[in-house]
Amino acid sequence: MTELSRRLVETTDGLRLAVYEQGPADAETVVLVHGYPDNHSVWDGAAAALAARFHVVAYDVRGTGESEAPDSTAGYRLAQLSDDFRSVIDAVSPDAPVHVAAHDWGSIQTWESVTSPSLSSRISSYTSISGPDLGMATTWLRERGHARSSLRQLAHSWYVFAFQLPLLPEAMVRSGVLSRFVGGRPRPERDQVNGVELYRANFLGKLVRPEPRSTDVPVQVLAPRDDAYVTVPLQTEAPKAYASSLVTKAIDGGHWVVEKSPDLVADEIAAFIEGAGAR
């Protein structure tokens, strides 16, 4: 397989996810997971670069792009998102573990799989960009010794609390306020509205009971220096106590570095996969 192809994968709760593949079918598989308010296309540039060497898979997370959406907030909980990831990799790489790279909410949800005792053996390496594990992040924010960094991160995260409110986020989307806040290319209104449920389904529970889990999967954290939403200290320091094989690196760029600098991101992912960090 060298050209882009599309298939539908059914989830454990009966939804269909749109999954896109390119690159040689017999090469190692790299799965790319997008965040909010994007769909799989945010990875297009990096996916094309990686497809010269890898079997590259990207998919529209539930509620976005060409994938179906659940009919309740509960359908966006982390455990279900992890089940979706399992369904995808079972379909595209049933007999071999995969490498994963994820951005923003894609990264947050992928930590759930990377730290899952029943799923981590299916993952050979993980590159996280601009999306910390919620349990690790909450624990780090509560620790003493870096109060200034914690307060700075909370200031960056004001929208997380706004998204818990009824009606307001949807009004922000439909008025165009959220698009102006996010910046960059236009995003479909459907993706923006549905994605708010990710915040409602998961954040408050993790704030009350963070319960971070550990992992032995080789992890690379790429932290954009000019990220407007996730600070470098949170990205690089929060996982230290939980990832036994961790590499962290600050890179040039803002929050949407995966789209703005796809070759840089692809090179960093490929180097980590091919280096000693990946098993």
Side-chain angles (χ1 to χ4, degrees), residues 12-33:
T12 55
D13 60 346
L15 301 182
R16 293 183 299 174
L17 303 180
V19 179
Y20 303 84
E21 300 174 72
Q22 59 185 306
D26 58 351
E28 291 183 274
T29 297
V30 180
V31 180
L32 305 175
V33 190

Side-chain angles (χ1 to χ4, degrees), residues 196-207:
V196 170
E197 301 295 349
L198 293 166
Y199 296 85
R200 292 172 173 158
N202 297 292
F203 263 98
L204 292 183
K206 288 294 185 179
L207 285 174

Side-chain angles (χ1 to χ4, degrees), residues 155-179:
H156 280 254
S157 301
W158 65 268
Y159 62 93
V160 171
F161 303 99
F163 282 5
Q164 306 304 315
L165 300 174
L167 304 179
L168 176 62
E170 288 83 354
M172 291 172 64
V173 169
R174 295 185 175 111
S175 68
V177 170
L178 187 61
S179 290

